[in-house]
Amino acid sequence: NNKILPMLNASNADNVTDLGASSIRWKDIYLSGGAFLGGTGTANKLEDYEEGTFTPAYDGGVNGTSYQFQVGEYTKIGNQCYIQIQIKGNGNSANSSQVRISGLPFASDNSSPYGGAVANYNAGFKDDGDITFHKGSNDTLLYFYENDGSSFTGNEATNINASLLLHGFYRTA
């Protein structure tokens, strides 16, 4: 069993030796497995971290597919995906179906389909701001709801082409 063990005065020493220092650092670390942070239990194992971009698009509530901008960024840590979406339509019209955004980077977990989100409304997407967002079950769609739980439709938007900025998270499959 090949290992590099911390040694202090030629004896095994547990939890007393640093790898590097604030001014003498290692550059990169490459692991084929995970890293245990703060403990040795399975809950302490970090196996997945990634950052990236995606292209959000309206998948409901909107007639048309023209955009002034569509920007999506994510950070995935373990099974939690944190998202930021900036989207602004260009000459589209609203319809009576539920507003949805497609293109999220990972499918949501079947057993935990709901995430949370906070929205900032710019240029009047919805004047009162009373919208919540849920992830669907095992899909890559973000569904818009009124705070009372009813579906939020495109026709209810003050301006379906307004700039919309969303921040949120969801549990991945």
Side-chain angles (χ1 to χ4, degrees):
N1 212 1
N2 296 330
K3 296 178 183 171
I4 299 173
L5 299 173
M7 299 294 286
L8 182 64
N9 298 329
S11 65
N12 287 344
D14 182 34
N15 199 27
V16 295
T17 306
D18 292 334
L19 183 60
S22 62
S23 62
I24 305 169
R25 300 171 295 160
W26 295 85
K27 183 181 177 302
D28 292 319
I29 185 168
Y30 298 91
L31 303 171
S32 63
F36 289 87
L37 305 173
T40 58
T42 57
N44 298 89
K45 187 175 183 182
L46 177 62
E47 299 176 80
D48 184 21
Y49 177 92
E50 76 179 82
E51 298 175 353
T53 61
F54 61 98
T55 304
Y58 285 114
D59 186 68
V62 178
N63 298 319
T65 57
S66 181
Y67 298 93
Q68 288 187 20
F69 54 82
Q70 300 166 266
V71 179
E73 297 178 352
Y74 71 90
T75 301
K76 183 175 180 289
I77 303 170
N79 64 2
Q80 295 294 313
C81 185
Y82 300 88
I83 56 172
Q84 177 176 307
I85 295 173
Q86 297 175 332
I87 190 168
K88 183 173 183 169
N90 185 23
N92 300 318
S93 61
N95 64 43
S96 62
S97 65
Q98 184 177 23
V99 176
R100 301 182 307 198
I101 292 180
S102 65
L104 298 180
F106 302 97
S108 61
D109 183 346
N110 265 343
S111 63
S112 179
Y114 301 111
V118 175
N120 299 318
Y121 304 95
N122 301 320
F125 180 82
K126 186 166 189 301
D127 289 339
D128 64 10
D130 290 336
I131 303 175
T132 59
F133 307 91
H134 296 176
K135 281 286 296 138
S137 182
N138 198 29
D139 67 21
T140 57
L141 295 172
L142 189 65
Y143 296 80
F144 287 49
Y145 290 90
E146 296 283 357
N147 279 343
D148 67 4
S150 63
S151 295
F152 176 77
T153 68
N155 288 339
E156 295 173 277
T158 306
N159 179 357
I160 201 70
N161 289 296
S163 176
L164 181 62
L165 174 62
L166 306 174
H167 300 271
F169 66 94
Y170 63 97
R171 186 178 175 123
T172 62

